[in-house]
Amino acid sequence: MHAMTLSPPLTELGLMGKRLASRLRKLGIATIEHLLYHFPFRYEDWSRVAPIKNLTPGMQATVSATVQTISFRPGRWRIKPATEALLKDQNGDSIRAVWFNAPYLVKTLPPGTALLLSGKIDRAGNALRLTHPMWEKSTTQAPTHTARLVPIYHTTATLSQKQIRALISIALKRVSAIPDSLPSWIRASAKLIPLDQALRTIHFPSSWANLSAAQTRLKFDELFFLQLRGALARHELTTLRSISIPFNESLTRSFVARLPFKLTTAQRKATWEIIKDLGKDAPMNRLLEGDVGSGKTVAAAIAALNVVAGGFQVAYLAPTAILAAQQFETFCRLFTHPSPPCQGGGKRGVSFTIALITQGDIRLRQIQNPKLVPSQVAGSKIQNDGNYEKISKHELAIYLQQGKINIAIGTHALLSEYVQFNNLALVIVDEQHRFGVKQRHALLRGSTQIDTQVNADGAFTPHLLSMTATPIPRSLALVAYADLDLSIINERPLGRAPITTKIIPAEYRKDAYELIHQELAAGHQAFIICPLIDPSDSLGVKSVKEESERLQREHFPHAKLAALHGRMAPQKKDAIMKDFAEGKIQVLVSTPVVEVGIDVPNATVILIESAERFGLAQLHQLRGRVGRSTYPSWCLLATDTEQEEALKRLHAVVTSRDGFALAEIDLAMRGPGEVYGTEQSGFLDTLKIAKLTDVIILKQSKDAVDRLLSQDPCLERHPALQKQLATLEQTLHLE
């Protein structure tokens, strides 16, 4: 049988590979490489093989014994059907083993079969017994499921631990030596074992010490390549040129002075960092991280104002149509009162036009000071009386190419072929973790005048401002977004209503519904968040479908109630969110899909079912859906759990309003993958085993990246590393 590489599909692993391929696909596993990088999340230590005479009730051990008799007992009232076997070891001592609902074992394990059995010892009458033990037949080969450190994997209902382990064992026997892309000098300096050894050991370790060495190597790889990717992206920026945007101090001061609120210190600091970046001839690449309701949009608007004042265009990319429409309204509102941009500081004023561009909606509005000369688009279809004008894609393309649209706010529609800017100088990406790096940079190449490939020939690269409301600890952000400079707004604007957060145990659920009734009677609205879309008896948590029907029937029969979840068609989802934003829906029962992308100041209550299942950062994000006006608001954390650790986490949300502090707590308690979830973050998908709390490995990997790039800045002498980085890009869905 010929040796295999890691790239073939699972179907190449014989009959078992063919049989399990479709089930493993549900876990995102399609190739041998995916399978070998599906790491165990814990291990059970069954390495102690004890003689039967040394066993006592309550002990966990492995027994080596031979089947003497085996029979199936049908079930009857209150008694489960069971298969029972009598086993003897080499000393002649016996023990019984029982498996429930497993009649097939009578044929599988006939008398005379030598077995290894691992499990907990109990007593049935006067005899010792193993209840539903893990077993495998004794062979000359090393055991896979017993008598060792046994790996435990994340799986699905139709896929057993035994099947996963067996298929991984087959794969490891079939694959040839796994190539190692890390240079030998890096492995030597960090005292790392070879990758081939690490991947084999992580699944079937011979000892805890060997397992630790394998984990260290694989953690190093994840953190090394994450930091290498960021460092190369940052280096690439130094080779590009951008337009230096002059700071229009008088215009900015006028804009800020006419705002209906006072900027916080954090807003002023972050805005100044952005303005200084815009003034450089190297492209800005900055992440603006702002806690829920901290006022990131105003900082972005000030940046956009200065860019438009300099005679250039701005593109604002939002993850959903409803958020794009809300930001369009916000920008129009912010720019209605301050004086419009004036080029060159002279008397000639230039009005500017804002466009909303989504899949089903293209709107324009002109912001103009009547005392100044007419806009450069006067006489066109763009209205200058404060009303919106809808235009076609063809007209939009013409206006953009002619530079007659100064700020374009939209969804993925901004990435369409017909969207070609004339002089784009700033790209703003809202909730940037929802877009891949290459998606974000597609806008940077959205014009022949802004093609990064011809940057050396005089074209320029737009500045990039990424924004996120997800509170990410600085330690995590500096690694995950190593190519970005970081600005943080961690203060809430004055005038926002307080949010009262409470834990609601089962016996107080009716009080929560009564509070919602009171708020609905006062003309307000409410969110009810469920963790699942469909009912799930195995998880025992509430779903959107069953809960919306029950709530409408039992508690809110006269309210306008709607259900929302991520599997809905985008048009239907946007329509429901729009109706809720406009007050046509009173109660929205939803999955966490509303975590970002909806701003409803009239919503004053959010009830989060099974709150213990969410990360603290996510609970804080959901809490931010209310308290967005002057109305007092409530966040109700409903839970039936009595687990001390879960309640401790929920109490942290009750006592803290600081999203960054909560994210730090959750990061320490649960790790980045659990805190932010796979849907929240492309970069965290690569951290299958490493944690940002692995400080020593983090520093070692960073030192290795710095030393490597000082010797080979473009990795010209390290093609294996280039290939590995390309694979990482595909993993992050960036192609």
Side-chain angles (χ1 to χ4, degrees):
M1 190 177 294
H2 68 280
M4 303 176 70
T5 64
L6 297 183
S7 56
L10 297 177
T11 51
E12 295 293 311
L13 294 176
L15 291 175
M16 178 171 276
K18 291 181 173 70
R19 190 169 71 249
L20 300 182
S22 61
R23 302 182 212 175
L24 284 162
R25 203 170 294 120
K26 294 179 181 178
L27 293 171
I29 299 172
T31 67
I32 295 175
E33 183 171 19
H34 294 160
L35 181 67
L36 296 186
Y37 276 87
H38 183 62
F39 300 140
F41 67 91
R42 66 180 177 88
Y43 298 82
E44 291 182 349
D45 189 352
W46 297 114
S47 57
R48 179 185 179 188
V49 181
I52 292 175
K53 65 181 180 181
N54 292 346
L55 300 178
T56 58
M59 179 186 291
Q60 293 190 358
T62 297
V63 174
S64 176
T66 302
V67 177
Q68 301 299 302
T69 63
I70 187 166
S71 61
F72 175 70
R73 182 189 67 210
R76 56 185 186 272
W77 187 66
R78 291 190 176 180
I79 298 178
K80 295 179 181 179
T83 299
E84 189 169 306
L86 177 65
L87 306 132
K88 280 189 178 181
D89 67 8
Q90 61 183 7
N91 298 320
D93 297 305
S94 62
I95 189 172
R96 293 193 175 275
V98 61
W99 295 271
F100 298 109
N101 298 313
Y104 62 90
L105 290 179
V106 173
K107 290 184 178 180
T108 306
L109 306 177
T113 305
L115 295 178
L116 287 166
L117 305 98
S118 296
K120 188 174 182 180
I121 313 299
D122 59 21
R123 186 180 292 279
N126 294 324
L128 293 177
R129 182 177 68 177
L130 280 161
T131 301
H132 218 86
M134 179 62 67
W135 63 269
E136 64 184 312
K137 295 178 181 180
S138 295
T139 66
T140 56
Q141 297 180 341
T144 302
H145 313 289
T146 60
R148 64 171 309 123
L149 292 179
V150 178
I152 306 298
Y153 300 88
H154 289 296
T155 185
T156 67
T158 59
L159 196 63
S160 72
Q161 292 290 332
K162 211 167 185 179
Q163 287 172 322
I164 295 177
R165 286 194 289 266
L167 192 61
I168 289 175
S169 179
I170 292 171
L172 288 173
K173 290 171 184 173
R174 296 274 187 93
V175 297
S176 53
I178 299 166
D180 200 329
S181 58
L182 272 191
S184 57
W185 64 265
I186 291 181
R187 296 202 304 270
S189 63
K191 298 180 180 178
L192 301 172
I193 64 175
L195 180 62
D196 182 87
Q197 182 182 345
L199 280 174
R200 295 177 190 276
T201 303
I202 197 73
H203 294 290
F204 300 110
S206 58
S207 67
W208 290 109
N210 288 343
L211 173 61
S212 178
Q215 290 173 329
T216 297
R217 167 59 205 264
L218 295 169
K219 287 179 178 182
F220 184 96
D221 278 21
E222 289 181 353
L223 295 172
F224 173 83
F225 283 106
L226 204 57
Q227 293 180 93
L228 179 61
R229 172 176 163 266
L232 287 172
R234 184 179 287 276
H235 174 73
E236 183 184 355
L237 285 175
T238 64
T239 67
L240 304 176
R241 286 290 164 262
S242 189
I243 291 295
S244 173
I245 305 296
F247 174 41
N248 195 319
E249 184 175 358
S250 61
L251 178 64
T252 303
R253 286 185 180 277
S254 173
F255 176 84
V256 171
R258 298 189 189 191
L259 289 172
F261 49 83
K262 186 178 180 181
L263 294 182
T264 65
T265 301
Q267 278 178 307
R268 290 177 180 274
K269 180 182 177 183
T271 302
W272 182 238
E273 288 172 343
I274 294 166
I275 286 173
K276 286 194 295 184
D277 278 359
L278 290 174
K280 299 174 183 176
D281 61 2
M284 172 176 68
N285 200 27
R286 182 169 291 276
L287 173 64
L288 176 59
E289 198 183 348
D291 206 348
V292 177
S294 61
K296 300 181 300 298
T297 302
V298 175
I302 293 173
L305 191 65
N306 278 272
V307 170
V308 175
F312 298 96
Q313 292 172 300
V314 177
Y316 188 115
L317 184 62
T320 66
I322 187 72
L323 183 58
Q326 288 174 345
Q327 294 299 68
F328 173 71
E329 297 286 351
T330 300
F331 266 60
C332 290
R333 190 165 59 248
L334 287 171
F335 290 136
T336 297
H337 301 296
S339 302
C342 300
Q343 294 185 18
K347 294 183 178 180
R348 277 183 64 84
V350 178
S351 301
F352 64 103
T353 300
I354 304 177
L356 172 66
I357 305 170
T358 65
Q359 208 61 37
D361 194 6
I362 300 175
R363 285 188 254 161
L364 302 172
R365 180 168 176 181
Q366 184 177 324
I367 308 298
Q368 182 175 359
N369 187 326
K371 296 180 181 179
L372 302 175
V373 299
S375 163
Q376 57 183 321
V377 292
S380 73
K381 289 181 66 175
I382 302 176
Q383 303 296 297
N384 59 16
D385 58 0
N387 295 323
Y388 307 128
E389 179 71 22
K390 292 198 173 188
I391 61 171
S392 67
K393 288 183 180 180
H394 176 70
E395 290 169 315
L396 171 70
I398 294 174
Y399 290 149
L400 282 170
Q401 287 177 334
Q402 293 178 349
K404 294 180 178 180
I405 292 174
N406 307 95
I407 300 176
I409 299 174
T411 56
H412 289 78
L414 281 180
L415 306 175
S416 302
E417 292 181 1
Y418 67 86
V419 176
Q420 297 287 322
F421 290 85
N422 175 269
N423 53 1
L424 182 64
L426 172 63
V427 174
I428 302 170
V429 183
D430 203 350
E431 289 308 331
Q432 64 85 41
H433 61 271
R434 303 247 167 159
F435 301 94
V437 170
K438 296 211 170 164
Q439 242 180 345
R440 298 199 305 251
H441 285 270
L443 273 173
L444 308 189
R445 299 188 297 271
S447 158
T448 53
Q449 296 187 37
I450 313 166
D451 190 341
T452 55
Q453 300 303 313
V454 294
N455 197 275
D457 298 329
F460 63 86
T461 299
H463 298 283
L464 176 64
L465 175 64
S466 300
M467 302 197 301
T468 181
T470 302
I472 305 170
R474 182 177 288 271
S475 62
L476 179 57
L478 289 176
V479 174
Y481 302 120
D483 58 323
L484 302 174
D485 294 310
L486 189 63
S487 291
I488 295 178
I489 301 178
N490 54 6
E491 298 176 74
R492 282 175 63 84
L494 297 174
R496 288 287 178 92
I499 303 174
T500 301
T501 305
K502 290 186 176 182
I503 297 173
I504 308 295
E507 60 268 28
Y508 291 103
R509 195 65 52 84
K510 288 186 178 179
D511 294 341
Y513 294 146
E514 181 56 35
L515 174 61
I516 293 175
H517 274 294
Q518 292 174 9
E519 289 302 297
L520 296 184
H524 300 308
Q525 295 162 272
F527 292 94
I528 297 178
I529 306 299
C530 300
L532 300 175
I533 297 172
D534 295 304
S536 174
D537 295 333
S538 62
L539 288 174
V541 293
K542 294 184 177 178
S543 73
V544 166
K545 289 181 179 178
E546 64 178 352
E547 192 68 353
S548 60
E549 293 170 2
R550 187 187 71 83
L551 289 170
Q552 183 81 78
R553 181 177 65 252
E554 298 179 10
H555 296 284
F556 304 101
H558 305 298
K560 296 174 183 174
L561 184 147
L564 178 71
H565 57 78
R567 289 188 202 156
M568 288 178 170
Q571 296 85 351
K572 184 176 181 181
K573 191 164 56 176
D574 288 342
I576 291 173
M577 293 173 78
K578 184 173 183 288
D579 285 347
F580 187 65
E582 293 176 355
K584 297 175 183 177
I585 294 170
Q586 293 174 286
V587 180
L588 186 62
V589 183
S590 174
T591 60
V593 70
V594 298
E595 185 181 340
V596 296
I598 186 167
D599 183 8
V600 184
N602 193 46
T604 55
V605 183
I606 182 165
L607 171 64
I608 304 172
E609 293 284 0
S610 304
E612 76 281 357
R613 289 180 53 81
F614 296 92
L616 301 189
Q618 195 173 23
L619 287 174
H620 183 68
Q621 280 282 89
L622 289 167
R623 175 168 57 183
R625 295 309 97 203
V626 297
R628 304 179 78 87
S629 64
T630 57
Y631 305 125
S633 299
W634 289 265
C635 175
L636 309 177
L637 307 176
T639 181
D640 296 334
T641 188
E642 295 181 0
Q643 293 181 359
E644 185 177 346
E645 177 126 340
L647 291 173
K648 181 181 176 182
R649 292 176 56 254
L650 294 182
H651 276 293
V653 182
V654 172
T655 56
S656 177
R657 291 299 313 279
D658 186 339
F660 293 94
L662 290 173
E664 291 280 9
I665 293 170
D666 228 10
L667 182 65
M669 292 178 73
R670 301 205 302 160
E674 291 294 323
V675 172
Y676 295 100
T678 56
E679 291 184 3
Q680 275 289 315
S681 48
F683 68 87
L684 289 172
D685 290 346
T686 65
L687 295 184
K688 298 178 184 295
I689 189 169
K691 296 180 180 179
L692 271 301
T693 48
D694 293 319
V695 179
I696 294 175
I697 301 175
L698 192 62
K699 186 177 187 308
Q700 281 183 322
S701 59
K702 185 180 185 307
D703 290 345
V705 167
D706 292 343
R707 184 178 168 190
L708 172 70
L709 295 183
S710 69
Q711 300 171 2
D712 187 10
C714 299
L715 300 183
E716 293 175 348
R717 301 195 302 273
H718 295 85
L721 289 179
Q722 290 182 338
K723 184 178 179 180
Q724 188 69 25
L725 281 173
T727 302
L728 176 62
E729 294 291 303
Q730 293 175 348
T731 303
L732 293 173
H733 310 293
L734 305 181
E735 293 295 350

